[in-house]
Amino acid sequence: MHWTDAYLTIICQLLAEQVRKGNRPNTHLNTLGYTEVSDRFFQMTGIELTKTQIKNRWDKLKIDWTIWQKLMRLQTGTGWDSAKGIIVMDNEWWRKTKKDIPGCGKFKKKPLQCEEQLREMFGNISSDETDHWNPMSSNPVVPENNVEPFTVDGINDVPNEEDHEDIIHDWAYQEEEEEDVQEVTPTSENAKKRPRVVLEIPKKAKSSIALIIQEKISTIAESAASFTSRKEAEVSIKEVMQHVLECGADYGSNEHDIATQLFVKKDQREMFLTLPTNKIRFDWLTRRYNDKYGSV
């Protein structure tokens, strides 16, 4: 596949459109997104792209976007050609920058193509993805840095008992969880020290909470899988256009032309496939063309 500027413009527009539709649940498109991009690209260019080709192009575009953003952070204080949209600096500056930002040399004489679409695609994805938790993913684990230990008075780190004898454990908490914490009166031996109460949460309670979370995550994952299955069962543009050809609407005909306009919409594709014979389908396309453009 030779990616000309025209093809890059089309694929960027289609990918950004899928992001707006919500078909990028994490860092890449879902199955429905890949299918729609492939169908639309084939409709517009006559070239059929595989999922792997689309994903590879997505990854390369993300690399270009990352490099361009790093360059733009260096742009302050440098020369800038607003007409061409490129940085204007001497060769020594570019030699140093190429070492700091590998791959940036491609933007010495040419700006980033389709910047607005790439911003839609990658603008809100972090570089290492550590700040994103997606419950629909195959490994929906809550990041560890979001979990804080539970203690009284907002103290996160509980010191060792041997080092701090003034810590009094409320062992009754395990037996009577609903009772209020009783005020602890210091003894005469440690009257100068103000004791703190550390609540010991039973391990059994933690396990129960973990099981509830796991059950909720499983329910969400099952719902997502069911939704994806329903989407994949829908008739694609590629499939319905094959039926258009089979009913006699050849490339270049009025019927084929109106089909390329109508069948972008799912309900139109479904309506067409309810018609029982090729003749009825062909006549239906003829009437739709005449309705829009008038009879010839």
Side-chain angles (χ1 to χ4, degrees):
M1 175 65 188
H2 176 61
W3 287 98
T4 64
D5 288 348
Y7 289 156
L8 281 174
T9 299
I10 293 173
I11 195 69
C12 287
Q13 291 172 347
L14 296 178
L15 291 171
E17 179 183 34
Q18 292 306 309
V19 173
R20 290 193 295 271
K21 286 184 175 182
N23 288 330
R24 188 208 61 194
N26 38 60
T27 59
H28 290 79
L29 298 183
N30 56 21
T31 301
L32 177 60
Y34 285 120
T35 301
E36 290 196 2
V37 169
S38 178
D39 291 341
R40 292 287 303 281
F41 194 85
F42 178 76
Q43 180 184 348
M44 298 171 73
T45 66
I47 299 174
E48 185 173 1
L49 296 177
T50 64
K51 176 181 177 180
T52 300
Q53 287 176 306
I54 298 172
K55 182 180 181 299
N56 289 343
R57 181 48 45 184
W58 173 283
D59 291 338
K60 290 179 181 178
L61 289 170
K62 184 178 180 181
I63 292 173
D64 287 347
W65 166 260
T66 303
I67 293 173
W68 180 257
Q69 292 306 302
K70 291 179 180 179
L71 266 182
M72 290 301 97
R73 286 195 287 270
L74 294 178
Q75 187 266 329
T76 303
T78 62
W80 178 257
D81 188 332
S82 57
K84 295 181 179 180
I86 59 174
I87 295 176
V88 180
M89 293 296 290
D90 58 29
N91 291 334
E92 181 60 31
W93 185 91
W94 275 106
R95 275 195 294 270
K96 181 180 182 303
T97 304
K98 287 177 183 178
K99 293 181 180 179
D100 297 335
I101 310 175
C104 71
K106 66 175 72 176
F107 299 122
K108 183 177 181 180
K109 297 182 179 179
K110 184 178 180 181
L112 179 69
Q113 189 175 350
C114 304
E115 183 176 359
E116 290 304 317
Q117 286 77 22
L118 296 185
R119 181 175 287 105
E120 288 187 80
M121 294 157 58
F122 309 119
N124 61 346
I125 301 179
S126 67
S127 58
D128 59 3
E129 305 165 20
T130 55
D131 60 343
H132 287 68
W133 176 57
N134 176 27
M136 303 299 183
S137 66
S138 59
N139 186 26
V141 179
V142 180
E144 292 182 359
N145 59 358
N146 290 337
V147 180
E148 297 183 357
F150 175 82
T151 58
V152 176
D153 298 333
I155 302 174
N156 292 331
D157 296 323
V158 179
N160 293 329
E161 248 183 285
E162 297 177 357
D163 298 333
H164 296 266
E165 297 178 352
D166 60 322
I167 296 178
I168 300 176
H169 295 269
D170 184 9
W171 302 110
Y173 180 81
Q174 296 183 11
E175 300 294 332
E176 300 176 7
E177 296 180 354
E178 296 181 356
E179 292 185 2
D180 295 334
V181 178
Q182 300 296 322
E183 183 178 353
V184 180
T185 303
T187 62
S188 58
E189 295 179 358
N190 59 359
K192 295 182 180 180
K193 299 181 181 180
R194 182 181 178 183
R196 289 178 290 128
V197 178
V198 177
L199 303 181
E200 299 291 336
I201 299 179
K203 293 183 179 180
K204 182 178 180 181
K206 291 184 179 180
S207 300
S208 299
I209 294 173
L211 288 173
I212 293 173
I213 293 174
Q214 187 61 45
E215 289 174 0
K216 294 297 183 183
I217 291 174
S218 299
T219 301
I220 293 173
E222 290 172 1
S223 299
S226 176
F227 176 81
T228 302
S229 299
R230 291 197 302 271
K231 285 293 185 181
E232 291 176 348
E234 294 175 359
V235 179
S236 68
I237 294 176
K238 181 179 177 181
E239 291 173 340
V240 78
M241 291 306 294
Q242 184 60 39
H243 288 290
V244 170
L245 293 173
E246 291 174 0
C247 80
D250 295 328
Y251 291 109
S253 66
N254 294 338
E255 289 74 14
H256 191 277
D257 178 71
I258 195 66
T260 61
Q261 301 176 47
L262 292 174
F263 296 152
V264 174
K265 297 182 178 180
K266 178 172 71 77
D267 56 347
Q268 294 285 2
R269 299 197 296 269
E270 292 176 348
M271 175 60 70
F272 177 75
L273 293 180
T274 62
L275 303 178
T277 67
N278 284 335
K279 184 178 186 307
I280 294 175
R281 290 176 177 178
F282 184 89
D283 292 341
W284 184 84
L285 290 172
T286 302
R287 286 193 296 273
R288 297 292 77 75
Y289 181 88
N290 292 339
D291 289 344
K292 185 171 184 177
Y293 299 105
S295 58
V296 180

